[in-house]
Amino acid sequence: MRVHKLTFAALAVAAGLSLTACQSDDTSTGKSDPSSAPTASPASNVSSSGGSSDSGSSSQGGAKATTGTSSGGSSSGGTGTGTGTGTAAGTGSDANAKAGRCRTDELEVTATDNTIDGDANRTVVVEFKNGGGRDCTISGYAGVDLKTNAGTVSAKRTGQETTSAVLKNGKSTYFPISYPFNKSGGSGVRITGLVVTPPNETKSVTLNWPGAASLPVTDGSGTSVTVGPVGSAGQGG
């Protein structure tokens, strides 16, 4: 019995020591939590300080970015304004310097008799008036065909030098048609109409013939119908 009592006593002592150790560990652990909290607190302060530094840096960076953006915006605005002005000027310059050619549909075409007494041949002047709402370029020879009761007579070019000109909207340019007229007293070759094709165009305009009623009948050796270049006749002559 004594042995058993001693054993129980020893076990009780051991259990007490074990409990004390556990309490010591728990106490130690409990102390370590508060100690860890202060440790976390400085870390938090550092983080906060770092955040403040980042915030300050971000704020400064934002100010710089704002300044840069503002400056850039001003620069961009200046560039945009310059570009707009340059484009407008360039467009205006190009419009004057490189006007598109005059189209048939943009031209008002008329023909009038412009014969001067005593001339060996008679003259009809054709007017091209720009009614297209824009300036256009015109140069060269127009195509001219006389319709007659004997067929079509195509005018020949005089061979005069041609010049290119900008025909302002609402303005006119002229060219002459020279032709022989019938003096024989006979019927001759009756002219029934005039077909005009502006230079560099394929669309024609048919007009009433304003000149003498007929051409002389020839064997082909007589004077032919001729046409001068656009701009080689003035208003009324």
Side-chain angles (χ1 to χ4, degrees):
M1 293 295 292
R2 184 178 179 82
V3 174
H4 287 294
K5 287 180 180 180
L6 289 172
T7 301
F8 284 125
L11 288 172
V13 172
L17 291 173
S18 176
L19 180 60
T20 302
C22 289
Q23 288 177 350
S24 176
D25 290 342
D26 290 341
T27 303
S28 175
T29 302
K31 289 180 180 179
S32 67
D33 289 341
S35 66
S36 65
T39 304
S41 178
S44 175
N45 289 338
V46 171
S47 175
S48 173
S49 174
S52 173
S53 174
D54 290 343
S55 174
S57 175
S58 174
S59 174
Q60 291 177 358
K64 289 181 181 179
T66 302
T67 303
T69 302
S70 174
S71 175
S74 173
S75 175
S76 176
T79 302
T81 303
T83 302
T85 303
T87 302
T91 302
S93 177
D94 287 344
N96 291 330
K98 299 180 180 180
R101 75 171 184 265
C102 298
R103 301 287 186 176
T104 301
D105 292 337
E106 297 176 312
L107 299 172
E108 299 173 16
V109 187
T110 56
T112 57
D113 186 9
N114 195 49
T115 300
I116 297 175
D117 291 340
D119 286 353
N121 290 330
R122 292 198 171 187
T123 302
V124 166
V125 169
V126 176
E127 175 185 2
F128 286 144
K129 183 177 181 179
N130 183 1
R134 68 179 182 96
D135 297 348
C136 59
T137 302
I138 191 165
S139 65
Y141 286 84
V144 172
D145 296 305
L146 300 186
K147 289 183 175 183
T148 74
N149 61 341
T152 299
V153 176
S154 297
K156 296 181 180 180
R157 297 178 178 182
T158 60
Q160 291 174 257
E161 185 178 353
T162 63
T163 58
S164 178
V166 174
L167 184 60
K168 299 290 185 180
N169 182 48
K171 299 300 182 179
S172 298
T173 188
Y174 307 82
F175 70 88
I177 301 170
S178 177
Y179 66 98
F181 61 99
N182 180 26
K183 298 184 258 185
S184 66
S187 59
V189 178
R190 186 166 55 86
I191 302 172
T192 59
L194 170 64
V195 180
V196 177
T197 308
N200 303 307
E201 285 290 284
T202 56
K203 187 175 182 179
S204 301
V205 177
T206 300
L207 307 172
N208 292 326
W209 177 249
S214 62
L215 301 172
V217 176
T218 67
D219 57 6
S221 60
T223 304
S224 63
V225 179
T226 61
V227 57
V230 172
S232 61
Q235 183 175 9

